[in-house]
Amino acid sequence: MAKTKVLGLHVNKVKLWTLLSDKVMLIAYAFLILAGIGIVDMVYERYFLLSANAFDAGLNPGSREVAAAMKEAVFGHGGEVKREAPWSLYIVNYMYMIYVGSGIIFLVAMAELFELEIIKKPAAGFLTLGLAMVIAGLFTIMMDLNILNVYWMLLSPQFHSGMWLMMPLYTVYIPLVMLEIYLILNHQAQWIKKVAFMIVVVGVLVEFVEFYVQAKLFEMNSARHLWTTYPILPLYFMVSSFAASLAIMGIYTHLICKSSTLGYVLERAALYFVMALGVYEAVAYLFIDKKWAEIILFGAFKYYFYLYIILAVIIPFGLLFKNYLNKSLKLVAAISIILGTFLGKIIFIYGGNAYPMNNRFGIGFEKYYEYEEAKEIIFFMPPWSEIAIVVGSVGVILFIFRIADLYLSVSIVED
């Protein structure tokens, strides 16, 4: 394939028809179209659907009709986030994409730091995949944030806010990862030796800050004791994300790298993190608030929780413990980890919202009784537009990675 040199990089000259007809790109387009349909429906319902708001209340103070319409706007069954369950599938996907993508980047950074040549060879592909997942997570959360909320976050920064701290973090983090990919692709050995150590160290620090800030967002929510009583919450995020990261890296190795040695290393590492995740979950529920532990272990969430344990821990442990199994079963183990850890994030988010409480009077937590009778367990299915956007975010990953691979050949295993 013809190449041209841009900023020291050998860029492939890809024809437009090749770009449009590429099989992976066609799959990406299908996912992106699905996400686009969801976005159109979400924007229509959020900004163009006729419903009562604060402006109507100001024009018609004391109106029963406006009060009823506002209640429906807040507590109705539309596509917006509800007061009783403010975080739903958007946050689940954001957490998953950000944590797993960052986990891949973190593991590659550690390989660079400790000179693990077996992972350094396909490092460009791994880093691009991790970066694509981070961007897919940011794409998802942008669909969750109201445009006016983003405007006020920029206009009036709150430095004590965990959500605001994420903004400058990614403005540093993403360029660092891109710089590391550039150095690898540019084959600047001398510069890599001089600069890569600093990049890796800073990247590792950014990773720890990211896990800490994310944990802070949940720990500040005192009305949801599932989150505030989880012991060492950053550790939970790290262990679960590394298990999923290694599973995705294993699938990538199986499909692209075709390296049995690298596959074996990733499988062994995934096994250890799966075991650590199982131990953590077993110990964590000794500390979690009793009410939340009961509804998750023995109540409405019990089937989802045990399915999560089966998929994320039991099946992978059984398949990966014996390292002589064929590649198909190891691929099943990796897929099981991915599905299981995603389900675990759903349980974490929806379980935290299942029994919301409020300390209005400073005398202890109580159920929400201000507007209507609170349900013992609050659970609602996300609207179809939200599901479409979350599923469609896979297209963001495929699109970014494939574009980078077509033009920069990031999937080629370097010498």
Side-chain angles (χ1 to χ4, degrees), residues 35 38-39 41-43 46 79-81 86-98 136-145 342 349-350 382-391 393:
I39 291 171
D41 184 75
M42 178 269 293
V43 169
R46 183 176 294 178
E80 287 288 21
V81 175
W87 291 349
S88 59
L89 199 58
Y90 284 131
I91 302 297
V92 172
N93 197 58
Y94 166 70
M95 288 173 58
Y96 193 81
M97 293 294 184
I98 290 291
L138 296 176
F139 162 80
T140 306
I141 201 62
M142 285 303 297
M143 300 303 105
D144 178 59
L145 294 176
F342 190 85
I349 294 298
Y350 278 88
W384 74 266
S385 58
E386 188 172 338
I387 296 174
I389 291 170
V390 167
V391 175
S393 67

Side-chain angles (χ1 to χ4, degrees), residues 228-244:
T228 59
T229 56
Y230 245 83
I232 320 177
L233 198 52
L235 180 62
Y236 164 70
F237 291 152
M238 293 177 68
V239 171
S240 61
S241 68
F242 288 159

Side-chain angles (χ1 to χ4, degrees), residues 3 34 37 93 122 125 144 149 173 184 190 198 205 267 292 336 338 346 353 370 372:
K3 295 179 181 290
L34 179 63
I37 294 172
N93 197 58
D144 178 59
N149 290 342
Y173 181 65
I184 293 172
Q190 292 182 349
M198 178 188 67
L205 292 176
E267 291 157 12
W292 268 272
S336 182
I338 295 168
I346 293 177
N353 285 317
E370 292 94 329
E372 61 183 9

